[in-house]
Amino acid sequence: MRTEATHGDLKRLQDPAIWTDLPTALLHAEIARRADAPTKPACGSGHSTKAYDTPLHFFALVLILGLSVG
């Protein structure tokens, strides 16, 4: 079973005609399903033990960039 979308699949989904063929009842059912769904959880676990070390991560990015170029 294919799970990856190809460029052709994405181009086809951008065609407005494909969306106008959907029955209105199906669209209403999807909107109702999404309205009844629980709200999305907040990002992260909420159990932060340390602050984000920005200088260390910036150094790591520069190091990786330097090693990949050189």
Side-chain angles (χ1 to χ4, degrees):
M1 177 180 215
R2 189 179 75 149
T3 58
E4 294 180 5
T6 64
H7 180 68
D9 292 336
L10 297 176
K11 191 138 182 96
R12 186 176 62 84
L13 289 174
Q14 292 174 351
D15 181 14
I18 192 171
W19 300 108
T20 58
D21 292 340
L22 291 173
T24 304
L26 180 66
L27 296 174
H28 285 287
E30 179 63 19
I31 291 170
R33 183 188 69 82
R34 291 184 183 195
D36 292 340
T39 58
K40 293 182 179 179
C43 293
S45 65
H47 301 294
S48 179
T49 57
K50 292 175 30 176
Y52 186 78
D53 194 355
T54 305
L56 176 66
H57 286 92
F58 181 75
F59 171 74
L61 290 172
V62 171
L63 179 65
I64 292 168
L65 179 62
L67 292 174
S68 66
V69 172

